[in-house]
């Protein structure tokens, strides 16, 4: 089982309660990624490896990337990011399954190398 970075334990517990109840439904996650220089975003091999294993992991839990876009600046706020990913999961349980899916450990390993 892989550990998620920057986990908000209270929110994970909320997800667990929803997943165990009758109200479990789709989840949309907005990932705002800043890549390490070694990833050579958007065309480097490390970035491509991360996207490949992420796609594999999402397939295993029934999720999918709805869109991804290069971030060239922002009008509000000051978070320095390179890419925004819109990720859909069919249920809260599907999202929780990320931590135990077969590709989870490899995803977290490559993610740690590619994402700040």
């Amino acid at each position: 089982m892989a550990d998620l970075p920057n986990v908000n334990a209270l929110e994970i517990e909320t997800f667990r309660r929803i997943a165990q109840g009758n109200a479990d439904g789709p989840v949309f996650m907005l990932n705002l990624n800043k890549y390490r220089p070694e990833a050579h975003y958007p065309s480097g091999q490390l970035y491509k490896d991360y996207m490949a294993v992420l796609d594999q992991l999402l397939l295993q839990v029934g999720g999918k990337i709805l869109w991804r876009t290069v971030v060239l600046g922002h009008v509000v706020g000051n978070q320095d990011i390179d890419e925004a990913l819109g990720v859909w999961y069919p249920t809260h349980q599907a999202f929780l399954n990320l931590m135990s899916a077969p590709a989870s450990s490899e995803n977290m390993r490559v993610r740690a190398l590619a994402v700040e």
Side-chain angles (χ1 to χ4, degrees):
M1 177 183 288
D3 292 325
L4 294 173
N6 306 316
V7 169
N8 181 330
L10 184 59
E11 291 298 321
I12 292 293
E13 195 52 43
T14 299
F15 268 53
R16 284 191 178 113
R17 278 196 310 275
I18 294 169
Q20 293 169 359
N22 295 331
D24 197 3
V27 174
F28 176 80
M29 288 288 186
L30 180 61
N31 294 357
L32 305 175
N33 291 345
K34 175 69 180 170
Y35 293 103
R36 297 182 186 282
E38 300 83 8
H40 298 288
Y41 173 77
S43 59
Q45 189 59 51
L46 181 54
Y47 170 75
K48 290 176 183 177
D49 291 347
Y50 172 52
M51 286 298 111
V53 74
L54 178 59
D55 286 340
Q56 180 183 14
L57 175 61
L58 291 172
L59 182 65
Q60 291 172 356
V61 300
K64 61 183 171 184
I65 295 175
L66 297 178
W67 52 262
R68 65 182 79 186
T69 188
V70 174
V71 175
L72 299 175
H74 49 274
V75 177
V76 177
N78 57 10
Q79 187 174 6
D80 183 21
I81 60 174
D82 296 314
E83 181 180 51
L85 299 168
V87 184
W88 175 88
Y89 301 90
T91 62
H92 290 75
Q93 185 59 57
F95 174 80
L96 293 171
N97 291 344
L98 286 172
M99 294 178 271
S100 59
S104 185
S105 293
E106 179 63 7
N107 178 70
M108 289 300 150
R109 184 190 74 77
V110 177
R111 184 188 189 287
L113 295 172
V115 180
E116 287 188 9

